[in-house]
Amino acid sequence: MTQEKIDRQREHQANERTFLAWLRTSIGMIGFGFAIARFGLFLRELQASVTGEPDSVPAIAINSQTLGVALVIMGIIFIPLSVWRYNRVFQQIEFSAYRPSRWMVWLTASTVMIVGVLTIPFVLLRHSSREPIPQFQRQSRENVMGDRDRL
């Protein structure tokens, strides 16, 4: 095997590893988006059960559900982009015309950074929006606790 053939093989293997890293990033974004969307739903249901008020979706345009869905969509979009990039680099390696490109790195970093910044209000709002339990719920909880003691 010639040195040139070994070098080209290594370049293709590096290209495949990079492609798999992009796929892991996409899967991570999809999973994280799903978790954000579901956790927001869980928090709304928990708040509804504690306060006794019906579940209401916040009136703001950016909530945990839309943020989670946006992250899932971005993860899905990154999959064909990574396949396109893999094929493009593959052809460049074959024709000995590889030119590095950083646009996908910037796109991913920007997306994750924007999503991270958009999650900060949710973290801060969850801690500051704890409302006291209404009096009628406190009384019903005390009644249940008293019933347990009687048994």
Side-chain angles (χ1 to χ4, degrees):
M1 211 176 230
T2 66
Q3 183 64 32
E4 181 181 318
K5 195 169 187 177
I6 292 172
D7 288 343
R8 203 165 89 205
Q9 180 182 5
R10 286 182 183 157
E11 290 172 358
H12 281 298
Q13 290 171 340
N15 188 28
E16 288 177 15
R17 284 190 302 271
T18 303
F19 170 69
L20 292 174
W22 283 111
L23 282 182
R24 283 190 302 271
T25 300
S26 298
I27 291 168
M29 291 175 76
I30 292 168
F32 191 54
F34 182 79
I36 288 174
R38 290 295 147 203
F39 190 66
L41 179 63
F42 168 75
L43 288 178
R44 282 197 305 274
E45 289 177 3
L46 181 66
Q47 182 178 6
S49 69
V50 169
T51 62
E53 297 175 7
D55 183 27
S56 60
V57 177
I60 58 174
I62 298 177
N63 57 30
S64 60
Q65 186 140 8
T66 57
L67 190 61
V69 169
L71 198 53
V72 168
I73 290 170
M74 287 304 297
I76 291 169
I77 289 172
F78 278 177
I79 293 172
L81 283 175
S82 64
V83 171
W84 174 79
R85 179 171 166 79
Y86 169 80
N87 286 325
R88 184 169 170 236
V89 171
F90 182 89
Q91 291 298 322
Q92 289 176 352
I93 291 170
E94 284 298 306
F95 294 113
S96 298
Y98 175 72
R99 287 183 221 108
S101 174
R102 297 183 295 182
W103 72 269
M104 214 160 144
V105 172
W106 279 102
L107 177 66
T108 307
S110 301
T111 301
V112 172
M113 188 174 70
I114 289 168
V115 169
V117 168
L118 291 175
T119 58
I120 291 171
F122 298 114
V123 173
L124 296 177
L125 288 176
R126 292 293 173 207
H127 291 291
S128 65
S129 66
R130 293 185 184 191
E131 299 174 7
I133 299 173
Q135 183 64 31
F136 71 90
Q137 283 187 343
R138 261 192 239 130
Q139 290 171 350
S140 65
R141 284 186 184 170
E142 290 168 1
N143 291 342
V144 169
M145 297 298 278
D147 290 341
R148 269 196 249 163
D149 292 339
R150 287 184 210 144
L151 296 175

